[in-house]
Amino acid sequence: MLEAHGSASDEKPSNDTTEAEAGLLAEVDEVLHGERTLWRATERLVGLTAPYVDEVCLGVPLTEGGFNVDIVSRTIVRRAHDALAAITAAVDSPARANARVHLRTMTEDLIFLQWLRSLDEGVAAKFVQINALVEALTAVDTQEKFLPIAYQRLGTDVPNLGFPDVTDTLERAKNDLKELCRGQGWWRNRPPTIRKMAEETDLVQVYDFFYSLSSKAVHSNLHEMGRMVWGTEHTVDISSKPFEDLHPNLAVVYGTWLFHDLLSAVMGLFEPIQRLSSGQAYGVWLALILFRPAHNGRLPLLIHPEELRWRRGSA
């Protein structure tokens, strides 16, 4: 459930606390009375959360298991922060129409994290180890197949990329993964799809809305193409500009939504995230970015009424 986290105290605030609150109020006032409020507020949220994300992700001691569920969870925290930072950078550029592509990463990571944590601890640890190996070796294999063609097309010799032949190792890793999947009764002895993970973790609504929203930005999608075509019965212009004021708000609002949900998912694991989420500043920026548009009936839309303006073709 999406909600702002915060705590109240009966203790008399210190001078430092009073100054911090005054500074926060001044910053909020500046953002509210400036242009592009949601973008500027999200930028502040990215800056506020950066030190806490660093606490979770820097100087992490490795246990005997190495790459494990704990490391994956910390990685997802970093990826979420990187994605929100990338969104704020993209919406401040001519490429603002494509800012929401980063929502795809956040959506999949949220669903995957919740699914991974729902597994038996031993199964989850084994899955992380084996699947990471399969994915890495698959990348090597794919690269070794493509780059010789690329060098040939560019008229030059193929350099030694420094990788051994991974064919046998990859096959063994795939068999190990298949065996693990078979033991869990997963369909076709494969890891579940993101959709299936969403079903198993009660995140179908997240999948249906956010996965659709982000996938439309990365797939060859006729609605996305059609919304770029505007004009008269005789001529049209093809451009991302008709929605250039709407794309940024959609990206930052729903990017913040997913970022908050991801942090909430790991709050019980990492003390810095608990500290961040209970702080006043986090709750204030969250309220400005999410709750304020909601209370004004202005949550961004996937599709707008004016887009349903096509003419019926003649028979």
Side-chain angles (χ1 to χ4, degrees), residues 82-108 209-228 239-256 258 300-304 307:
D82 287 350
L84 192 60
I87 286 172
T88 61
V91 299
D92 194 36
S93 76
R96 59 179 58 92
N98 293 311
R100 71 186 190 279
V101 298
H102 301 287
L103 301 178
R104 176 73 176 263
T105 302
M106 300 172 83
T107 303
E108 290 203 18
F209 184 78
F210 291 108
Y211 202 77
S212 170
L213 163 63
S214 55
S215 294
K216 282 162 65 71
V218 298
H219 292 320
S220 188
N221 183 281
L222 289 172
H223 168 226
E224 290 300 310
M225 297 177 192
R227 72 193 325 199
M228 298 172 68
S239 170
S240 297
K241 288 187 177 297
F243 287 92
E244 67 177 359
D245 293 331
L246 302 175
H247 291 304
N249 286 350
L250 184 145
V252 298
V253 167
Y254 293 129
T256 297
L258 290 167
L301 301 176
L302 281 180
I303 184 169
H304 297 261
E307 294 184 65

Side-chain angles (χ1 to χ4, degrees), residues 135-212:
E135 290 174 349
L137 294 177
T138 299
V140 173
D141 184 58
T142 303
Q143 179 174 267
E144 293 283 348
K145 290 174 179 175
F146 172 77
L147 287 182
I149 298 172
Y151 279 106
Q152 183 181 23
R153 287 185 60 181
L154 296 171
T156 187
D157 295 333
V158 182
N160 184 350
L161 301 178
F163 291 98
D165 185 352
V166 300
T167 305
D168 292 341
T169 309
L170 175 58
E171 189 62 28
R172 287 194 298 271
K174 284 182 175 180
N175 287 335
D176 290 342
L177 180 61
K178 186 180 296 184
E179 193 61 35
L180 173 64
C181 295
R182 181 182 294 114
Q184 298 304 305
W186 293 336
W187 189 61
R188 291 188 176 180
N189 301 326
R190 296 175 182 172
T193 62
I194 292 293
R195 169 74 192 197
K196 185 63 177 176
M197 290 180 186
E199 291 173 356
E200 293 180 3
T201 54
D202 197 26
L203 290 173
V204 172
Q205 287 185 331
V206 169
Y207 177 91
D208 285 345
F209 184 78
F210 291 108
Y211 202 77
S212 170

Side-chain angles (χ1 to χ4, degrees), residues 70-133:
D70 175 72
I71 295 296
V72 169
S73 301
R74 293 173 188 270
T75 301
I76 287 175
V77 171
R78 174 67 76 187
R79 280 162 58 90
H81 188 265
D82 287 350
L84 192 60
I87 286 172
T88 61
V91 299
D92 194 36
S93 76
R96 59 179 58 92
N98 293 311
R100 71 186 190 279
V101 298
H102 301 287
L103 301 178
R104 176 73 176 263
T105 302
M106 300 172 83
T107 303
E108 290 203 18
D109 277 356
L110 174 61
I111 294 170
F112 175 70
L113 175 65
Q114 296 288 53
W115 173 80
L116 188 64
R117 293 186 60 206
S118 73
L119 299 178
D120 172 82
E121 187 175 337
V123 172
K126 195 171 182 181
F127 176 82
V128 165
Q129 290 281 337
I130 298 174
N131 205 41
L133 180 60

Side-chain angles (χ1 to χ4, degrees), residues 58-63 70-71 74:
L58 300 181
V60 180
L62 277 180
T63 62
D70 175 72
I71 295 296
R74 293 173 188 270

Side-chain angles (χ1 to χ4, degrees), residues 47-62:
L48 169 71
T49 55
Y52 298 90
V53 172
D54 282 349
E55 282 192 65
V56 171
C57 297
L58 300 181
V60 180
L62 277 180

